[in-house]
């Protein structure tokens, strides 16, 4: 009986930990002026799939009228080398999830960094959702 209870607790703990990794993280990031890439946002991955899922919840300028609707995103490694399959992916405010695919040489990486930049020369704040999968 005691063994069954312990087994049940272990199974529940494992289920809880697995479900935690399936949820997206939401965070606020500052995007510098002049379309400069931000410092990398670390994203832990399982390495089982070759993409990271990202969406743009909102983006707005630090001052002035809010006409912002898009940001650019890419994935890099710890040294800042591009590891995503394309140079950049455009994220549109409120348009839902986009998968940023890793170059096949880097698909096994379990830690990548998300870099963002604006679609204009003005500085902005962006609320980003991401899931390392």
């Amino acid at each position: 009986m005691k063994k069954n209870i312990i087994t049940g607790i272990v199974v529940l703990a494992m289920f809880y930990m697995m479900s935690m990794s399936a949820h997206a993280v939401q965070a606020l990031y500052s995007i510098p002026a002049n379309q400069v890439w931000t410092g990398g946002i670390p994203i832990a991955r399982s390495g089982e799939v070759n993409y990271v899922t990202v969406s743009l919840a909102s983006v707005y300028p630090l001052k002035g009228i809010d006409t912002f609707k898009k940001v650019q995103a890419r994935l890099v490694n710890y040294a800042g080398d591009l590891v995503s399959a394309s140079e950049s992916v455009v994220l549109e405010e409120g348009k839902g999830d986009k998968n940023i695919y890793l170059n096949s040489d880097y698909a096994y990486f379990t830690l990548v960094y998300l870099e963002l930049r604006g679609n204009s020369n003005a500085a902005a704040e962006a609320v980003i959702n991401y899931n390392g999968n």
Side-chain angles (χ1 to χ4, degrees):
M1 180 70 161
K2 187 176 182 180
K3 184 177 179 180
N4 289 340
I5 292 173
I6 292 173
T7 302
I9 291 171
V10 169
V11 168
L12 286 174
M14 288 175 56
F15 177 75
Y16 176 75
M17 294 301 289
M18 288 172 42
S19 67
M20 292 278 291
S21 65
H23 295 291
V25 176
Q26 184 176 72
L28 174 67
Y29 293 99
S30 294
I31 298 175
N34 302 317
Q35 295 188 348
V36 175
W37 290 105
T38 63
I41 302 159
I43 299 178
R45 308 180 54 249
S46 68
E48 295 176 12
V49 296
N50 67 335
Y51 60 87
V52 170
T53 303
V54 183
S55 67
L56 176 62
S58 67
V59 60
Y60 48 89
L62 296 180
K63 56 184 172 183
I65 298 170
D66 183 5
T67 59
F68 286 28
K69 301 289 177 217
K70 301 176 184 180
V71 298
Q72 298 174 53
R74 68 180 182 180
L75 299 174
V76 298
N77 64 12
Y78 68 93
D81 301 321
L82 185 69
V83 297
S84 49
S86 58
E87 178 62 35
S88 67
V89 172
V90 176
L91 305 175
E92 294 185 60
E93 187 176 53
K95 294 287 184 175
D97 294 342
K98 265 215 172 152
N99 293 332
I100 302 177
Y101 290 89
L102 280 84
N103 180 311
S104 60
D105 294 340
Y106 305 105
Y108 66 91
F109 277 27
T110 56
L111 182 63
V112 294
Y113 297 85
L114 177 68
E115 290 189 335
L116 304 172
R117 74 176 179 187
N119 256 3
S120 79
N121 288 332
E125 297 281 322
V127 178
I128 300 290
N129 299 306
Y130 59 88
N131 185 337
N133 300 311

